[in-house]
Amino acid sequence: MTKDEHIAYWLAESDKDLVVMHSMFANGHYTWALFVGHLALEKSLKALFAARIDIQVPRVHHLLKIARDCGIMLTGEQEDFLLEVTAYNTKARYPDYKQSFARKATRDYTSSKLERIKEMQLWIKSHVSEQ
């Protein structure tokens, strides 16, 4: 695959994950919606990495690390949010976190976080298109 094809792949996958995220939310699967939101941001950051650094994207899931490796300038609030969303990767899957996370992930909480995930994904994608 060419560099442009790699970038397009990661962006398309990120967009698909946003659709799945909203579907999970609509069906009341709030923790899984947040987990898939993490995937959407991870894949948009990997598109940015492919655009700026190398098509061999890192096989890590830590959003802030990927963002920093891309050289993207983040505010403190954006860094904190990427750290928070990175935690969804673990909290939605592992039993020792899942129950307490499910109590926190109410409809209102999840809705507000999903809106921020969508905004962050668009912001990251805007940096990909600058390349």
Side-chain angles (χ1 to χ4, degrees):
M1 289 190 336
T2 68
K3 179 178 178 175
D4 287 342
E5 289 170 332
H6 278 274
I7 295 165
Y9 166 79
W10 288 111
L11 290 175
E13 290 297 309
S14 177
D15 288 343
K16 283 187 220 174
D17 285 344
L18 279 186
V19 171
V20 173
M21 177 186 81
H22 288 296
S23 176
M24 292 286 203
F25 178 76
N27 286 293
H29 302 289
Y30 304 139
T31 58
W32 285 111
L34 292 165
F35 173 80
V36 176
H38 169 272
L39 295 176
L41 291 184
E42 179 182 327
K43 292 172 184 176
S44 63
L45 285 167
K46 288 182 176 181
L48 182 61
F49 189 93
R52 287 188 171 187
I53 310 298
D54 190 355
I55 60 172
Q56 298 299 318
V57 300
R59 293 181 182 230
V60 298
H61 311 291
H62 195 288
L63 302 179
L64 184 55
K65 178 183 181 350
I66 301 167
R68 285 181 174 160
D69 288 349
C70 290
I72 194 170
M73 297 303 296
L74 300 165
T75 66
E77 188 274 329
Q78 287 171 317
E79 288 184 353
D80 291 345
F81 186 64
L82 289 177
L83 287 172
E84 179 182 347
V85 176
T86 295
Y88 302 159
N89 183 39
T90 304
K91 291 180 178 181
R93 292 194 291 169
Y94 295 103
D96 48 339
Y97 297 111
K98 197 169 186 171
Q99 288 182 341
S100 63
F101 185 51
R103 285 190 295 274
K104 182 178 183 177
T106 64
R107 179 176 180 79
D108 289 341
Y109 173 90
T110 303
S111 178
S112 70
K113 298 303 179 181
L114 297 187
E115 187 59 36
R116 289 185 66 199
I117 286 170
K118 184 178 172 183
E119 291 168 5
M120 179 68 83
Q121 191 245 21
L122 288 171
W123 183 79
I124 294 165
K125 285 173 62 174
S126 74
H127 285 75
V128 173
S129 64
E130 292 174 357
Q131 300 306 306

